[in-house]
Amino acid sequence: MKNSSEADILAVVESAKRAASNLMRTGRVWEYSLLSRIMKSPDPIGRMIEELQSRGNAVVGIPTKDPAPAVPAKTHWSLPVHLRRSCMRTSSEADILAVVESAKRAVSNLMRTGRVWKYSLLSRIMQSPDTIGRMIEELESRGNAVVGIPTEAPTAAVPAVPDVPVEAPAESSSESSGELYQCPDTTKQGTSLRERMASLGYYKKHSLDHDLLVSFAKFLQFDMSNENFKQEVENVARFLYFMDPQQASLLFVRQHEKSREYFLKLSEAGLSKQTVQNYIKSVKRFLKFHTGSTDLCFTDRVLHEDCKNYISFLDNIQMATSKQVSKETTRKRFDTFQEGVLSSTQVTAVLAAAKKDFLAVIGKLHAGECSPGHQLTLTELQLVLYYLEAIVILEHAQRPGVVEHMTVTEWISRRRDDTRPGFVVVAVKEHKTAATFVLTQEQEMWFDLYFSEVRPVMLGKKRKRVEDDDETDERFFISSTGKAIYNAYNDLERLHKKYQVPKVTSQMARRAYETATKELSDVQKTKVAGYLTHSTATAEKHYRMKEIGSAVDAFLILRNLRGDSE
């Protein structure tokens, strides 16, 4: 408006102030029930865009033409009056004015960073396995409040002002004023680690679309071939939010004391020493990337040197905590020894509990009732997927990585034992320890039905993205979102929870089988040990008939230990 009069400019500024005040009053608080309805609607992205625009936000990058966002200007709300009458009625005028000034900064920050949404980000959120949870995280990271979350979900924490996080009520909306400033909630925190971390605000993070994080994610995914790069990027995003909730930047390298405080708070919240070490490693790798693989040394030499000094600071913290990690590992081993080992029957209890429902779904597929698999519900599709994953992890005592890395080529290349044609051997090579597992004729039929009937339906749910199409299409196990399995352990946990069976992990299963073989002969022990874990060199031999026979022998030993008749 360089050619406009001062009066016109002031009018626009006043209008923007009213819009900002209205956005802070009505646009930040989201009902959980509303988010749930949006995610369940036929067009969740379109419905979300409508809701964001109705609250004065802008969505950019939409493929097709959409109406311009309407910004409501009417407002009848005053923070100073509210503070004097309610939350800070016993406080001094100076304290009240300090909160008002801080809130103004929050308004400015929300207007700068919280209103514009990229269409690509909304698309990724809608494709994620937990759309509501992912949307809540994104809203909270932008300074919004989500109220009415069911008790099973983490409590939503909303900072009233940028520097002092104040908890918003997690009860019904009738108990919330909907105002910018919320008085502290003294509700007792949950006892689980996840609830405790959420209530303390340690799950809040900056948007993963920030340039610093996007470039780091690409480096991990493509340069480092790190398949679990998303977890590492999220660790860094949480750390950056703690260091500066307003803006993600590298300036945290000049805050050593606050950094030390963050890692200490993670331990106090209940995270293991090893998990805290993982957070430190993530931040360290994040800095090494920006100091060694970007132009930082040319654009800001002082900051570059500060980053290098900060890496040395992290080295010192790691050295100081390494002994604590060792003690923690020793303590866990002792606790495991004290708890005892599960029986082979207990290991596969969830398979027995879910088998009736699983066979009912397989019966539909086998009888040709589905075309192909399209008439199955999402729950039925997931049951087939989770059950087959559990067979590999629990019955065959393989690590979750075997499920996550198994490829279509490896399934097609399965080999049959010539002397015992009722068994086939599948070799998975692209894993930290290459693996081999044996399927019975019936199990082979289940896996083949999944491959030919269920998997194509799962892939059909995928929205094309160039960077991961090839990888996803090659993976054998595909999630209900159409992407490669990210964490098989989560699927296994969901299956245990659905059938209310005590949770059994891969480590527990492997330990149970290893213990059960102590009375066997040395030859049998060697075969079972080879079945549970292989070197890469051994994996190359699995296509030889002699090695196939050894794998079947080991499988039969494990089956006898479980007491299976077939």
Side-chain angles (χ1 to χ4, degrees):
M1 300 180 68
K2 60 184 179 182
N3 296 324
S4 302
S5 66
E6 187 68 17
D8 291 339
I9 293 175
L10 290 176
V12 172
V13 170
E14 288 301 317
S15 178
K17 286 182 178 178
R18 291 194 299 271
S21 177
N22 188 66
L23 178 65
M24 294 297 291
R25 184 170 59 87
T26 63
R28 294 179 68 220
V29 180
W30 293 71
E31 284 284 348
Y32 181 87
S33 56
L34 170 63
L35 288 176
S36 181
R37 289 196 299 273
I38 290 175
M39 301 310 168
K40 294 177 181 178
S41 65
D43 180 18
I45 296 181
R47 182 69 184 85
M48 194 68 217
I49 290 174
E50 290 178 6
E51 188 64 33
L52 286 169
Q53 292 176 344
S54 71
R55 291 168 177 253
N57 296 276
V59 180
V60 298
I62 301 177
T64 56
K65 285 188 177 181
D66 282 80
V71 182
K74 188 177 180 181
T75 179
H76 303 284
W77 177 75
S78 172
L79 177 60
V81 172
H82 166 73
L83 294 178
R84 293 188 184 101
R85 291 178 178 176
S86 181
C87 290
M88 298 182 69
R89 59 178 179 271
T90 61
S91 302
S92 66
E93 187 67 18
D95 290 339
I96 292 175
L97 291 177
V99 171
V100 171
E101 287 302 317
S102 185
K104 287 180 179 179
R105 292 195 297 271
V107 171
S108 176
N109 184 64
L110 181 64
M111 293 297 290
R112 281 189 303 106
T113 64
R115 297 180 62 224
V116 179
W117 294 70
K118 290 184 179 179
Y119 182 85
S120 58
L121 171 62
L122 290 176
S123 180
R124 287 197 296 276
I125 292 175
M126 300 310 165
Q127 295 174 42
S128 64
D130 180 15
T131 52
I132 297 181
R134 180 70 183 85
M135 193 68 216
I136 289 174
E137 287 183 6
E138 191 63 37
L139 286 169
E140 290 179 344
S141 72
R142 291 167 177 251
N144 295 275
V146 180
V147 298
I149 300 178
T151 54
E152 293 182 347
T155 303
V158 184
V161 294
D163 302 323
V164 185
V166 181
E167 297 295 324
E171 304 298 329
S172 64
S173 57
S174 61
E175 296 183 34
S176 173
S177 65
E179 296 170 337
L180 164 63
Y181 187 91
Q182 296 289 345
C183 298
D185 182 20
T186 57
T187 306
K188 185 177 180 182
Q189 295 178 356
T191 55
S192 74
L193 176 60
R194 183 174 293 275
E195 290 174 342
R196 189 159 59 249
M197 289 285 289
S199 66
L200 292 171
Y202 298 154
Y203 281 151
K204 294 180 182 178
K205 60 177 181 276
H206 282 298
S207 172
L208 301 184
D209 283 335
H210 192 282
D211 290 343
L212 288 174
L213 297 172
V214 169
S215 58
F216 180 52
K218 290 181 179 178
F219 169 74
L220 293 176
Q221 183 180 11
F222 300 114
D223 293 16
M224 301 295 292
S225 299
N226 186 339
E227 296 184 355
N228 292 329
F229 70 94
K230 292 180 182 178
Q231 180 64 55
E232 190 155 354
V233 175
E234 287 183 353
N235 288 349
V236 176
R238 294 186 183 109
F239 170 77
L240 293 178
Y241 185 90
F242 178 87
M243 299 304 292
D244 184 0
Q246 302 296 325
Q247 180 68 35
S249 73
L250 295 177
L251 296 179
F252 69 85
V253 298
R254 296 165 182 167
Q255 296 176 289
H256 288 205
E257 290 300 322
K258 189 172 183 179
S259 302
R260 192 186 300 275
E261 177 190 357
Y262 176 73
F263 299 125
L264 180 61
K265 285 182 177 294
L266 291 182
S267 294
E268 292 174 347
L271 291 185
S272 68
K273 301 298 182 184
Q274 182 60 61
T275 302
V276 176
Q277 280 272 35
N278 291 340
Y279 269 83
I280 297 174
K281 290 177 181 177
S282 297
V283 176
K284 190 175 175 181
R285 187 177 285 120
F286 172 72
L287 281 180
K288 285 187 174 181
F289 160 70
H290 282 288
T291 56
S293 301
T294 68
D295 296 333
L296 182 63
C297 61
F298 304 108
T299 58
D300 194 332
R301 288 185 175 276
V302 176
L303 181 58
H304 182 267
E305 190 63 28
D306 289 340
C307 289
K308 291 170 65 176
N309 292 335
Y310 191 90
I311 292 174
S312 299
F313 162 72
L314 291 180
D315 288 336
N316 293 334
I317 295 181
Q318 283 184 299
M319 290 177 62
T321 57
S322 59
K323 289 185 178 180
Q324 296 176 339
V325 174
S326 298
K327 290 180 179 179
E328 185 179 70
T329 303
T330 303
R331 192 182 308 115
K332 286 182 178 179
R333 289 174 180 171
F334 178 77
D335 292 341
T336 300
F337 175 77
Q338 292 291 91
E339 292 172 359
V341 180
L342 297 177
S343 68
S344 302
T345 304
Q346 290 174 312
V347 167
T348 56
V350 70
L351 291 174
K355 190 169 185 178
K356 181 178 179 181
D357 293 341
F358 171 75
L359 290 179
V361 179
I362 289 296
K364 291 183 180 180
L365 295 171
H366 196 59
E369 297 179 16
C370 306
S371 176
H374 283 77
Q375 295 179 10
L376 294 181
T377 65
L378 178 60
T379 301
E380 290 174 323
L381 292 170
Q382 290 175 331
L383 176 58
V384 175
L385 172 66
Y386 296 167
Y387 196 90
L388 297 185
E389 290 181 74
I391 286 178
V392 176
I393 296 172
L394 300 180
E395 186 171 314
H396 297 285
Q398 301 299 322
R399 294 183 176 88
V402 175
V403 167
E404 296 159 8
H405 292 77
M406 181 177 168
T407 65
V408 170
T409 301
E410 288 164 345
W411 169 247
I412 295 174
S413 301
R414 65 191 184 278
R415 298 293 299 274
R416 194 170 302 279
D417 185 2
D418 287 343
T419 59
R420 288 164 290 191
F423 302 98
V424 294
V425 178
V426 180
V428 180
K429 299 178 184 178
E430 296 300 324
H431 181 46
K432 63 180 182 180
T433 51
T436 298
F437 60 92
V438 177
L439 299 176
T440 65
Q441 199 165 9
E442 182 182 39
Q443 290 174 340
E444 182 189 14
M445 180 266 291
W446 296 342
F447 275 69
D448 205 43
L449 280 175
Y450 160 81
F451 178 64
S452 60
E453 306 279 346
V454 175
R455 188 175 177 277
V457 181
M458 299 291 206
L459 284 174
K461 295 178 179 293
K462 177 184 64 176
R463 300 191 179 196
K464 289 293 182 182
R465 288 177 62 193
V466 175
E467 64 265 28
D468 61 10
D469 278 352
D470 293 340
E471 178 186 6
T472 299
D473 290 344
E474 176 60 14
R475 291 298 169 87
F476 182 79
F477 288 106
I478 301 296
S479 71
S480 56
T481 61
K483 305 292 179 63
I485 296 295
Y486 174 68
N487 191 333
Y489 175 79
N490 290 341
D491 293 348
L492 191 64
E493 188 174 13
R494 293 185 188 105
L495 188 65
H496 281 96
K497 185 176 181 180
K498 175 179 175 64
Y499 288 95
Q500 300 180 343
V501 176
K503 183 173 63 178
V504 179
T505 66
S506 167
Q507 290 182 335
M508 295 166 69
R510 293 167 66 82
R511 191 182 304 122
Y513 287 124
E514 288 168 354
T515 304
T517 61
K518 63 182 180 181
E519 301 298 332
L520 301 179
S521 67
D522 290 341
V523 174
Q524 290 176 314
K525 287 181 182 178
T526 301
K527 288 183 177 181
V528 172
Y531 189 76
L532 295 183
T533 180
H534 296 284
S535 66
T536 305
T538 304
E540 297 294 341
K541 302 176 183 178
H542 284 318
Y543 293 104
R544 301 178 187 175
M545 301 314 296
K546 180 180 179 181
E547 295 300 329
I548 290 177
S550 296
V552 174
D553 289 340
F555 166 74
L556 293 175
I557 293 171
L558 294 182
R559 190 168 73 172
N560 290 335
L561 292 174
R562 290 194 302 270
D564 294 348
S565 57
E566 295 182 359

